[in-house]
Amino acid sequence: MTNDTDLDDDSEEKTFAVQRDRVDAPIRRLFATYGREQWFPLSVGLVASLAAHLLSLVPPYILGVAVDAIFNQNDLYELPLVPQSWIPNDPIGQFWLSAGLIIATFVGGAVGAWVKGWGLNEFAQSIQHEIRVDTYDAMQRLDLGFFAEKQTGELMSILNNDVNRLEQFLNGGLNVMTMIGVTVVGVTGLLVYINWQLALVTLATVPVVAVFTHKFVQTIQPKYSEVRSTVGRLNARLENNLGGIEVIKASSAEDYEFDRVTDSSQEYYDTNWDAIRTRIMFFPGLQLSSGFGFVLTFVVGGLWVFNGPPLFFSGGFSIGNFVTFVFLSQRFVWPLAQFGEFINMYQQAVASAERVFGLMDEPSGLDIDDDAPDLTVTDGVVTYENVTFGYDEESIVEDVNFTVGGGETLALVGPTGAGKSTVLKLLLRFYDLETGTIRVDGRDIRDTSLVSLRKSIGYVSQETFLFAGTVAENVAYGSFEATRRDVIEAAKAAKAHEFIEDLPDGYDTEVGERGVKLSGGQRQRVGIARVLLQDPEILLLDEATSDVDTETELHIQESLDALLEDRTVLAIAHRLSTIKDADTILVLEDGQVVERGDHRALIARDGLYADLWGVQAGMIEDIPSR
């Protein structure tokens, strides 16, 4: 049986698949967008890597020359790029020259490796930082509809796991790529220079490696995309369960959630193991084919030294040349084997880059004009004209019209799901309207800058969110230049100062993740102090006292009295007693305004509002059908 969660996961995965499909050439884009700014460490790292790997090819060549010229004394001691006048005439001098040159190449290689490490790590770490913050910034500017469709764990997987995988590729992958390129080209060049005929034997396995690699790429790419997706789903499940641990315990649902986490983990295990099986089958085959080239070189070269040119080969082949060929052939085998690892890293990076850029390119549901002028609120008049909005073709708010005068209070009441919270969020432009217009002091909110609009509006939700940090930091959130005196004055006005002072460290007390160390009423008063410090001209209250006891409600109501003074207020109330003094009350049902007026007029009308009042006052048991 397929449950709703499975359907949600499938829908979300389709959404991320659409994001990935929009991304074209992700690795090229990664370098074009971010690599240009980090050209210096990249250039230093690649040049140093090139030098280090080239120097590693020198000792086998010197060894071959030394064997023939010093020990067998068959050839003249000659080294490319070294003037003959610098080379001693006696064997002992040539021996120590050889030793010195080999030591110099090792020292030079070590220095090159250090410089390469600095350059490539600086390059990779800088890009990792830039792409993570750019992706986060692009994500946080999306409309709330995007976050309603995505699970937090999936987004965290992109920002952490996928970005980290890109860093691994930019550091380790580029190093392996340079090593492969330099070693293959350098070894090939030396082998051809020494004996082009035997070099053809050594290189005979290259076509086999190419076929192996092509097949591997075709097979592994979709597998890695699926692995990255299952990681995101597993993270989403874990994040969701950790956030709801209290509900899990209260519902004795540990076994149920254990099964769900097991299923998600098994899905990741299956997809990851499938990719691993492909990888572990590929690498031994690649090593075997590369090793075959080495063995073939050893056999043909050895027979050549013993018996002269075998088969159709011609010319001489010395012991020194054979020693050099053996060493360089082994160096040739290693990068061919490493080539599979590079392809593996590259395909993982492609899958991660598609997810990162897919998220970065996600279009916002808001039509934002970056050049729109700032909003300056003078009177605070809010007007809704024929406002309609819905999700996924389902209408939530339909043809809503009202005006709130400056300094007045308008209350929204109605059954659960009537669209009350959506009406408030539309004023903040958390979502954009389908049709209609919302104006502040006569200006369409879509024709003003989003930042200035939201700075003009204070929002107190039903459950205040507090960030991990101190009480003072949470009060000052959004008013980051506020002084400690400003924070304390705002807390006093919100009737929060007294309980804050009683906390272990006062205003410096850590509130814990999501403010778990404070009670619901305490969190709400900290949230009210936060809005008071922001001093907005317009205030939105979304059931600010619905989930607290009577005594806490009294404290919060006292806090709100200071907050409401001389401000335009749009309030949602679960307890109608808190809004009976509002200038205007709108009654919503199924997203439409069905009644409007003040408390006295609505009671006299004997409609839905009167029924809601009667239920809360205990005069009737349930709302009658009409």
Side-chain angles (χ1 to χ4, degrees):
M1 178 178 178
T2 303
N3 59 33
D4 291 340
T5 302
D6 294 330
L7 294 175
D8 290 343
D9 288 344
D10 290 342
S11 176
E12 185 168 2
E13 176 54 30
K14 289 178 182 177
T15 303
F16 279 105
V18 171
Q19 287 182 336
R20 294 195 300 269
D21 290 342
R22 289 198 301 259
V23 179
D24 182 41
I27 299 301
R28 183 174 63 191
R29 175 176 171 181
L30 179 67
F31 281 92
T33 304
Y34 294 94
R36 291 178 181 178
E37 296 181 3
Q38 300 296 328
W39 66 269
F40 179 72
L42 175 62
S43 300
V44 170
L46 290 179
V47 169
S49 180
L50 176 68
H53 291 307
L54 282 175
L55 286 173
S56 70
L57 303 180
V58 174
Y61 182 79
I62 294 178
L63 182 60
V65 172
V67 168
D68 284 338
I70 300 173
F71 299 103
N72 290 337
Q73 297 186 358
N74 292 332
D75 292 320
L76 181 67
Y77 191 102
E78 294 178 308
L79 293 173
L81 305 179
V82 177
Q84 197 64 34
S85 59
W86 293 8
I87 297 177
N89 294 321
D90 60 296
I92 293 298
Q94 294 172 356
F95 172 81
W96 287 115
L97 174 64
S98 300
L101 290 175
I102 291 174
I103 292 173
T105 59
F106 285 139
V107 172
V111 173
W114 180 84
V115 175
K116 172 204 69 180
W118 172 86
L120 294 184
N121 276 284
E122 173 68 20
F123 172 73
Q125 292 293 323
S126 297
I127 289 184
Q128 178 192 42
H129 165 70
E130 291 173 9
I131 199 169
R132 176 178 284 122
V133 297
D134 283 355
T135 306
Y136 169 77
D137 188 50
M139 180 189 68
Q140 73 171 351
R141 297 182 187 279
L142 297 172
D143 63 291
L144 282 185
F146 168 82
F147 296 95
E149 296 175 353
K150 304 294 187 297
Q151 295 190 45
T152 303
E154 181 76 12
L155 298 175
M156 289 294 297
S157 176
I158 294 175
L159 291 172
N160 279 326
N161 298 345
D162 288 309
V163 172
N164 289 343
R165 196 171 293 279
L166 291 179
E167 183 271 335
Q168 293 168 8
F169 168 73
L170 291 172
N171 183 4
L174 288 182
N175 182 46
V176 171
M177 181 186 70
T178 305
M179 183 271 290
I180 292 172
V182 171
T183 305
V184 170
V185 173
V187 167
T188 300
L190 276 175
L191 294 181
V192 171
Y193 174 75
I194 295 171
N195 189 309
W196 67 269
Q197 298 174 86
L198 188 57
L200 293 177
V201 174
T202 306
L203 300 174
T205 58
V206 171
V208 178
V209 172
V211 172
F212 258 96
T213 303
H214 177 70
K215 184 64 176 176
F216 174 71
V217 170
Q218 286 184 320
T219 306
I220 202 68
Q221 186 171 7
K223 295 181 185 293
Y224 278 138
S225 295
E226 182 60 23
V227 168
R228 302 313 310 150
S229 297
T230 56
V231 167
R233 291 196 290 271
L234 176 59
N235 285 345
R237 171 63 60 206
L238 294 173
E239 190 274 337
N240 197 43
N241 284 18
L242 291 175
I245 192 66
E246 185 175 299
V247 176
I248 292 172
K249 289 182 174 296
S251 304
S252 297
E254 288 90 346
D255 291 341
Y256 173 73
E257 292 302 338
F258 172 79
D259 290 340
R260 295 215 292 178
V261 170
T262 299
D263 290 342
S264 295
S265 183
Q266 184 67 44
E267 181 187 28
Y268 169 68
Y269 170 87
D270 291 339
T271 55
N272 196 41
W273 184 239
D274 185 34
I276 289 172
R277 277 199 303 266
T278 302
R279 189 168 70 243
I280 61 179
M281 289 176 62
F282 168 72
F283 287 156
L286 187 63
Q287 290 176 329
L288 183 63
S289 61
S290 301
F292 179 74
F294 170 75
V295 172
L296 193 61
T297 300
F298 180 81
V299 171
V300 174
L303 291 175
W304 201 331
V305 171
F306 280 126
N307 304 320
L311 301 175
F312 47 80
F313 297 103
S314 61
F317 193 64
S318 67
I319 296 177
N321 288 339
F322 177 67
V323 169
T324 300
F325 249 85
V326 169
F327 274 101
L328 290 180
S329 299
Q330 187 60 43
R331 291 287 183 88
F332 193 74
V333 169
W334 176 244
L336 288 181
Q338 286 290 97
F339 186 65
E341 185 64 28
F342 169 74
I343 293 297
N344 182 54
M345 295 175 66
Y346 176 79
Q347 291 302 324
Q348 289 181 327
V350 168
S352 292
E354 286 178 344
R355 285 162 57 85
V356 168
F357 287 123
L359 177 57
M360 193 181 295
D361 293 344
E362 178 70 18
S364 174
L366 301 179
D367 184 12
I368 299 175
D369 182 2
D370 294 331
D371 298 322
D374 289 344
L375 172 66
T376 301
V377 178
T378 53
D379 299 324
V381 178
V382 176
T383 304
Y384 280 55
E385 300 175 356
N386 306 316
V387 170
T388 297
F389 172 78
Y391 303 105
D392 299 327
E393 300 182 357
E394 179 183 354
S395 180
I396 305 298
V397 174
E398 187 173 350
D399 198 27
V400 171
N401 293 271
F402 63 81
T403 297
V404 189
E408 293 183 355
T409 296
L410 178 138
L412 301 171
V413 302
T416 301
K420 305 183 294 295
S421 295
T422 301
V423 169
L424 296 193
K425 292 175 181 178
L426 290 174
L427 179 57
L428 284 162
R429 286 197 73 191
F430 286 167
Y431 314 98
D432 263 351
L433 310 178
E434 289 180 7
T435 60
T437 306
I438 300 177
R439 302 182 189 277
V440 175
D441 285 342
R443 291 184 60 185
D444 190 329
I445 61 174
R446 289 170 293 192
D447 296 333
T448 65
S449 74
L450 196 58
V451 172
S452 65
L453 171 69
R454 292 176 177 171
K455 282 186 175 295
S456 302
I457 301 173
Y459 180 59
V460 180
S461 64
Q462 178 177 346
E463 185 173 343
T464 297
F465 185 93
L466 299 186
F467 294 90
T470 67
V471 174
E473 289 170 344
N474 274 281
V475 172
Y477 193 85
S479 304
F480 302 109
E481 303 301 322
T483 65
R484 177 56 68 95
R485 181 188 296 273
D486 295 331
V487 169
I488 293 174
E489 290 302 316
K492 287 179 177 178
K495 309 299 180 185
H497 177 72
E498 184 176 346
F499 89 77
I500 294 174
E501 286 287 272
D502 290 338
L503 295 173
D505 296 313
Y507 283 86
D508 295 319
T509 300
E510 294 284 337
V511 302
E513 187 176 357
R514 298 177 179 266
V516 295
K517 294 183 180 180
L518 302 183
S519 69
Q522 289 172 333
R523 289 196 297 270
Q524 198 74 323
R525 278 179 278 170
V526 169
I528 293 171
R530 176 192 295 166
V531 176
L532 274 170
L533 189 57
Q534 294 170 359
D535 193 26
E537 293 84 354
I538 300 170
L539 181 63
L540 308 182
L541 303 177
D542 191 351
E543 301 193 53
T545 64
S546 63
D547 288 338
V548 296
D549 55 58
T550 304
E551 181 181 357
T552 302
E553 181 183 10
L554 179 61
H555 288 304
I556 294 176
Q557 197 61 51
E558 291 175 350
S559 306
L560 290 173
D561 289 340
L563 189 58
L564 301 180
E565 187 175 354
D566 299 326
R567 303 178 199 275
T568 301
V569 180
L570 282 75
I572 296 173
H574 176 72
R575 294 171 181 166
L576 302 185
S577 59
T578 62
I579 52 90
K580 64 184 181 63
D581 295 326
D583 297 287
T584 304
I585 299 173
L586 296 184
V587 183
L588 272 71
E589 186 175 25
D590 296 329
Q592 295 180 313
V593 178
V594 296
E595 298 176 17
R596 72 177 70 211
D598 60 17
H599 173 73
R600 188 183 300 274
L602 291 173
I603 292 292
R605 181 173 176 172
D606 194 26
L608 178 57
Y609 181 84
D611 291 338
L612 292 170
W613 180 266
V615 170
Q616 292 196 11
M619 294 183 290
I620 60 176
E621 292 185 0
D622 202 357
I623 298 175
S625 58
R626 294 180 180 272

